[in-house]
């Protein structure tokens, strides 16, 4: 995967002024667009589309500062049909309009070319197992929340605490298949979405495909497939989030698996009364790479 990401970065440079055909690139690199975007975003800290824009504007800034061509020519050269569209993209990256930068020589924010490297530190033990599951259904209470990578997500916390205590007990009683217990489900998240992007969060349980869902509950249909299950124990939610990050930085680059589309599921197996610590299982849908 590290090699594939570096080849992707090289291809971005070779086709910087063209529309990037990510599905074709993923196929040429022997992976899927979904997995490639997820791994790029997780390791680079930004979506692939944002990286391409930053690199385009870094190179375009040199043309703007040199002043040898008019702004329309520079815009067209870098894949924009008008100076207005080019100016919006330029300002979003550099914080200033092209004309101002041409006059003043700045300010400019340069995006260096990325290079991915795998560093093995052994800092995060990966307690992993695989589960082959037939199709099942996730039922519960769903809402749209922004993605937050570190710390407690207050939007999710508010959604859960708003549910009456008896509703948690009712949901738990409805669950009849693995993953067992009350579940934290994230779905509908674009593979290269940055922090703040909205996702569907469902607080609920897993039931078999034949189990009817009550009319007052939301449902997510989950197709049959294989899951990688990562166990974590420690301060909550920090340890769980570290495990989640390590799947991208350590586990996927060194194992012959890749993500497939589907929800990510967290099952809390045990926790302190104040939820300061917890033992969790993170379920991620995978397929052979």
């Amino acid at each position: 995967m590290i090699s594939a990401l570096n080849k992707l970065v090289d291809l971005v440079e070779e086709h910087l002024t063209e529309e990037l055909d990510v599905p074709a690139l993923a196929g040429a690199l022997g992976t899927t667009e979904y997995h490639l975007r997820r791994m790029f975003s997780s390791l680079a800290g930004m979506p692939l589309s944002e990286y391409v824009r930053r690199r385009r504007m870094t190179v375009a800034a040199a043309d703007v500062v040199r002043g040898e061509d008019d702004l329309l020519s520079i815009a067209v050269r870098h894949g924009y049909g008008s100076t207005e569209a080019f100016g919006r993209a330029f300002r979003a990256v550099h914080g200033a309009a092209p004309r101002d930068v041409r006059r003043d020589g700045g300010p400019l924010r340069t995006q260096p070319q990325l290079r991915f490297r795998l560093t093995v530190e052994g800092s995060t033990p990966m307690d992993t197992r695989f589960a082959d599951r037939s199709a099942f259904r996730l039922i519960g209470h769903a809402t749209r929340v922004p993605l937050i990578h570190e710390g407690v997500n207050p939007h999710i916390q508010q959604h859960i605490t708003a549910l009456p205590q008896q509703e948690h007990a009712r949901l738990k009683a409805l669950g009849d298949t693995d993953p067992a217990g009350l579940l934290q489900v994230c779905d509908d998240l674009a593979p290269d979405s940055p922090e703040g992007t909205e996702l569907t969060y469902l607080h609920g349980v897993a039931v078999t495909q034949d189990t009817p869902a009550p009319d007052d509950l939301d449902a997510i249909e989950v197709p049959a497939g294989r899951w990688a299950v990562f166990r974590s124990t420690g301060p909550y939610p920090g340890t769980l989030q570290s495990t989640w990050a390590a799947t991208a930085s350590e586990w996927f680059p060194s194992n012959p698996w890749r993500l497939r589309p589907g929800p990510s599921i967290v099952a809390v197996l045990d926790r302190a009364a104040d939820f300061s610590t917890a033992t969790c299982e993170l379920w991620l849908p995978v397929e052979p790479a």
Side-chain angles (χ1 to χ4, degrees):
M1 195 63 230
I2 295 297
S3 175
L5 288 171
N6 284 326
K7 289 178 182 177
L8 173 61
V9 169
D10 291 339
L11 287 169
V12 167
E13 293 299 311
E14 293 172 11
H15 304 281
L16 204 54
T17 61
E18 306 167 19
E19 191 66 31
L20 201 60
D21 187 348
V22 181
L25 292 177
L29 295 173
T31 187
T32 63
E33 178 187 5
Y34 182 86
H35 185 67
L36 191 65
R37 286 186 181 274
R38 281 285 295 267
M39 291 299 101
F40 187 97
S41 176
S42 296
L43 295 177
M46 72 182 91
L48 175 60
S49 57
E50 175 64 16
Y51 173 70
V52 171
R53 184 177 68 164
R54 291 185 187 183
R55 283 298 300 152
R56 279 181 178 171
M57 292 301 102
T58 295
V59 174
D63 290 342
V64 170
V65 172
R66 276 196 294 265
E68 298 174 358
D69 298 310
D70 61 81
L71 294 179
L72 179 58
S73 298
I74 296 173
V76 171
R77 182 184 309 144
H78 291 280
Y80 293 86
S82 67
T83 55
E84 290 77 12
F86 175 72
R88 287 193 296 270
F90 193 93
R91 182 184 288 276
V93 172
H94 297 294
R99 293 185 188 279
D100 296 336
V101 168
R102 172 163 284 184
R103 182 187 66 240
D104 302 330
L108 294 172
R109 297 172 185 159
T110 300
Q111 172 61 58
Q113 183 176 344
L114 289 178
R115 186 56 52 185
F116 294 91
R117 293 183 176 86
L118 175 60
T119 302
V120 180
E121 298 177 344
S123 59
T124 308
M126 304 298 289
D127 184 359
T128 314
R129 65 183 175 88
F130 291 95
D132 289 315
R133 289 299 324 278
S134 56
F136 63 97
R137 180 181 295 132
L138 296 161
I139 61 172
H141 297 277
T143 187
R144 296 290 287 176
V145 299
L147 172 65
I148 295 178
H149 290 300
E150 296 183 8
V152 174
N153 188 317
H155 308 278
I156 292 177
Q157 190 175 42
Q158 182 180 8
H159 175 65
I160 296 173
T161 55
L163 297 174
Q165 192 59 42
Q166 60 267 29
E167 184 61 14
H168 298 280
R170 173 200 175 206
L171 286 172
K172 196 168 184 179
L174 289 172
D176 62 7
T177 190
D178 287 333
L182 288 173
L183 307 174
Q184 303 167 6
V185 181
C186 294
D187 197 22
D188 293 331
L189 179 64
D192 59 356
S193 295
E195 182 157 325
T197 301
E198 281 202 338
L199 59 94
T200 296
Y201 175 82
L202 181 138
H203 181 75
V205 294
V207 298
T208 62
Q209 198 173 35
D210 299 328
T211 301
D215 292 338
D216 63 331
L217 297 182
D218 301 296
I220 297 174
E221 302 294 334
V222 183
R226 179 166 292 172
W227 298 74
V229 184
F230 304 88
R231 179 178 288 231
S232 67
T233 300
Y236 182 88
T239 302
L240 172 63
Q241 291 170 337
S242 296
T243 298
W244 203 315
T247 63
S249 63
E250 298 179 28
W251 194 82
F252 280 108
S254 55
N255 285 276
W257 301 93
R258 66 188 178 203
L259 286 167
R260 57 182 174 84
S264 58
I265 304 171
V266 173
V268 179
L269 306 182
D270 189 25
R271 67 179 180 89
D274 61 357
F275 227 139
S276 59
T277 62
T279 296
C280 304
E281 283 189 339
L282 169 62
W283 289 59
L284 297 179
V286 298
E287 63 187 5

